[in-house]
Amino acid sequence: MKNRCFWVNDSQIYIDYHDKEWGEPVFDDATLFEFLILETFQAGLSWITILNKRENFRKAFDNFDYKKIAKYPESKYESLLQDAGIIRNKLKVRSAITNAQLFIEVQKEFGSFSKFIWSYVDGKPIVNKFHKREDVPATTLLSDKISKDLKKRGFKFVGSTVMYAYMQAVGMVNDHTTDCFKYPVQ
């Protein structure tokens, strides 16, 4: 049996997420946006809740197409609030639309959101060497900095904890613990 990070339970969806996605570097803007939406909706909830609703989010938010989401009319916002398959938090649903608009602004300024976000780590993942749960931080000075920059740009639900989880999800930091089979051999 493979040894995995402490947070993985016996749910197949969790195992698959850990083994195939978490900590893998993502440079594609569409996928970076998907994780931004999922992480912002996760704020205050468990990640397994979001993973279990991921396909519902995908359907509700037009396959995470930020160009479409940025143009959602009020009627679409209202229909999302009625969708039991997603997290129906008014502020989070509104933030998805706002963040899609701002995501496009960042793309215009930097050429891609990927260039912008990965510039914080000079384009390559930070590989941490954490041994146990207590070692893994909820925030870092870097997640504080990214959060502050995104908030200044108008992004919502991008606090430092959310941004650190985002950095982990998209592989900007590799926080697989040293006993995990996914920890990179150095």
Side-chain angles (χ1 to χ4, degrees), residues 2-129:
K2 292 179 180 173
N3 199 34
R4 293 181 172 86
C5 293
F6 63 87
W7 53 266
V8 181
N9 62 25
D10 58 2
S11 162
Q12 193 58 50
I13 199 167
Y14 235 5
I15 292 168
D16 289 345
Y17 174 69
H18 171 272
D19 291 1
K20 297 173 185 164
E21 292 184 89
W22 193 73
E24 292 294 323
V26 174
F27 296 96
D28 169 66
D29 272 10
T31 308
L32 287 168
F33 182 74
E34 175 180 348
F35 277 109
L36 184 64
I37 291 286
L38 294 174
E39 292 292 350
T40 57
F41 271 91
Q42 189 266 332
L45 302 169
S46 69
W47 185 242
I48 193 69
T49 300
I50 300 302
L51 285 179
N52 285 328
K53 292 179 177 279
R54 190 177 189 178
E55 288 310 310
N56 296 335
F57 274 102
R58 192 180 308 285
K59 287 183 197 114
F61 283 96
D62 291 294
N63 206 30
F64 300 107
D65 183 335
Y66 53 87
K67 291 175 184 163
K68 283 185 181 176
I69 297 168
K71 295 178 181 173
Y72 277 177
E74 195 63 18
S75 57
K76 176 66 175 181
Y77 166 76
E78 293 295 337
S79 74
L80 287 167
L81 294 180
Q82 304 308 312
D83 189 335
I86 66 168
I87 308 300
R88 295 179 292 179
N89 176 300
K90 290 178 183 183
L91 295 175
K92 289 180 180 182
V93 172
R94 181 74 70 198
S95 78
I97 299 166
T98 300
N99 289 352
Q101 294 162 350
L102 295 168
F103 190 89
I104 292 168
E105 291 304 311
V106 169
Q107 285 180 317
K108 288 176 185 170
E109 184 178 344
F110 292 88
S112 72
F113 188 82
S114 181
K115 282 182 188 169
F116 163 75
I117 203 72
W118 279 92
S119 71
Y120 285 100
V121 293
D122 296 325
K124 57 186 184 301
I126 295 168
V127 179
N128 289 312
K129 196 170 187 171

Side-chain angles (χ1 to χ4, degrees), residues 137-166:
T139 65
T140 62
L141 291 175
L142 184 55
S143 67
D144 292 348
K145 183 178 178 182
I146 295 170
S147 170
K148 190 174 180 181
D149 190 2
L150 289 173
K151 285 178 180 179
K152 191 174 72 182
R153 293 170 182 278
F155 282 81
K156 305 292 183 206
F157 287 96
V158 290
S160 189
T161 303
V162 169
M163 290 320 300
Y164 194 70
Y166 180 77

